[in-house]
Amino acid sequence: MAAGLAFMIWGETAHPGIVGLHGAELATLITLVVAAVGWVGWAVTGPRGTSRPLTVFVCWTGLAGSVLLFVHPAPAVCWFTVFACVDAGAALTAVVGVPLAGVCCAILLAGYLAGRGDALATFAAVAFVAYVVGSNRRTTARAAMLTERTRIATELHDILGHSLSALSLQVEAASAALETTGDTDVALTHLAKAARLARSGQEETVAAVRTLRHGAVGVHDLIKQLIDTSGLAADLTVHGKPRPLSATAGMAVYRLLQEALTNAGKHAPGTKAAVTLSYEPETVTVTVANPASATSEAVSGGQGLHVMRERITQVGGTLVTGATGDLWRIEARVPA
């Protein structure tokens, strides 16, 4: 903004007599100084944000710049109005931004209709387009923010749903042990697992939010942590050199494994699942295999498979499920 101000002032003062102490030159000098003061205040205050002082300086700059163009329609100083209109659309509320852009355009059109220069019609059109560009920027930023919030909300929902379900099962098991057999050792074991699940859920929540914000996921480490803290019986085999995945792809793979291992432990208790993670040049493939028993029927007929497929499809991957001999296999491939 400092460089832009210097350029505009140089453009107006480079020719002797263009600004002076009488007539149109005096009006040009006064409006140039007023617009420059608004521009400096804008730069010092922000230059981005929604505070009241910033709003005042943006409006000040835009209106003073439009009057300057009315007095002396020179391309060198059109940026006062243009950038004020961009910010009016991008940062100011519609209650302030629309009137500001409208008044700026009206001043320029009035100058054109008064015969002060055909360039003023072009400047008015540029100011209008600048406001539209700023408004589109605001819309894009808002959409990106809502998308990010939705992603974080989805991950937190899945984390809490999984953690609370597993926690509830352990507490119910402890209660059943006390009521039926009075075995305090078994009850304490289940309560210890419940405490571990609570801590794991808390750590996983923090890790998921951090991962979504930083944009990279070390899937290998997350999977090892999942197997270690969940108490699920599984063997992990890794092919290729582990590398981080994007936040969306990495969390999709992680949730797939979490769902698959939970289903395996629920529908085929006492068995061990085999997890294979293969890093290929352009993709990562993850496979979960466990004894079929009732798992295939329960997963294929419930919502678990639908959620898995939806997650993997959203990141451009593919999911294949089905029974192979006496094993139930889930294989996902995602871009990496």
Side-chain angles (χ1 to χ4, degrees):
M1 294 187 74
L5 177 61
F7 171 78
M8 287 185 281
I9 292 178
W10 173 81
E12 282 299 281
T13 59
H15 307 287
I18 203 168
V19 293
L21 300 178
H22 62 278
E25 289 77 13
L26 177 59
T28 301
L29 176 61
I30 293 174
T31 50
L32 176 61
V33 170
V34 172
V37 170
W39 185 273
V40 170
W42 182 4
V44 171
T45 305
R48 303 287 297 172
T50 57
S51 66
R52 181 170 296 181
L54 180 61
T55 300
V56 170
F57 283 121
V58 171
C59 295
W60 180 341
T61 303
L63 296 175
S66 299
V67 173
L68 175 60
L69 286 172
F70 182 95
V71 174
H72 180 68
V77 291
C78 70
W79 306 110
F80 285 122
T81 299
V82 170
F83 280 107
C85 288
V86 170
D87 209 63
L92 304 185
T93 62
V95 175
V96 178
V98 172
L100 173 61
V103 172
C104 289
C105 291
I107 293 173
L108 298 175
L109 288 175
Y112 168 73
L113 295 175
R116 302 193 65 85
D118 294 341
L120 287 172
T122 302
F123 292 150
V126 171
F128 172 75
V129 172
Y131 177 79
V132 173
V133 169
S135 181
N136 287 341
R137 181 189 297 175
R138 177 204 290 263
T139 302
T140 302
R142 183 178 299 162
M145 179 183 66
L146 291 176
T147 300
E148 178 69 5
R149 287 181 178 178
T150 301
R151 283 204 302 150
I152 293 176
T154 300
E155 294 301 335
L156 293 180
H157 175 271
D158 291 345
I159 291 170
L160 293 176
H162 177 267
S163 299
L164 292 177
S165 296
L167 184 63
S168 176
L169 289 174
Q170 295 299 330
V171 173
E172 290 175 1
S175 177
L178 291 175
E179 291 179 358
T180 56
T181 64
D183 193 332
T184 57
D185 291 336
V186 173
L188 289 174
T189 300
H190 287 297
L191 290 176
K193 290 181 180 179
R196 187 170 65 248
L197 286 169
R199 289 192 299 271
S200 175
Q202 182 181 16
E203 294 170 357
E204 191 177 347
T205 301
V206 174
V209 175
R210 185 184 299 116
T211 293
L212 288 171
R213 292 196 180 279
H214 293 176
V217 180
V219 177
H220 181 210
D221 294 332
L222 284 177
I223 293 173
K224 288 179 63 178
Q225 182 180 0
L226 172 64
I227 294 174
D228 292 341
T229 60
S230 65
L232 299 172
D235 290 327
L236 174 63
T237 303
V238 179
H239 298 297
K241 184 178 180 180
R243 61 181 183 273
L245 304 182
S246 67
T248 51
M251 294 308 292
V253 170
Y254 178 73
R255 295 295 171 220
L256 168 79
L257 284 168
Q258 190 177 54
E259 183 74 18
L261 292 178
T262 300
N263 283 331
K266 184 185 301 182
H267 301 289
T271 62
K272 181 173 288 190
V275 179
T276 304
L277 191 60
S278 301
Y279 290 90
E280 296 147 7
E282 297 182 356
T283 60
V284 170
T285 302
V286 58
T287 304
V288 181
N290 59 274
S293 65
T295 308
S296 59
E297 181 180 354
V299 174
S300 61
Q303 293 299 313
L305 180 58
H306 173 73
V307 173
M308 291 181 194
R309 192 177 304 280
E310 188 177 69
R311 276 185 171 277
I312 297 299
T313 302
Q314 285 176 349
V315 299
T318 58
L319 178 67
V320 178
T321 62
T324 303
D326 59 349
L327 295 177
W328 174 257
R329 288 173 56 86
I330 297 176
E331 181 177 295
R333 179 169 295 178
V334 299

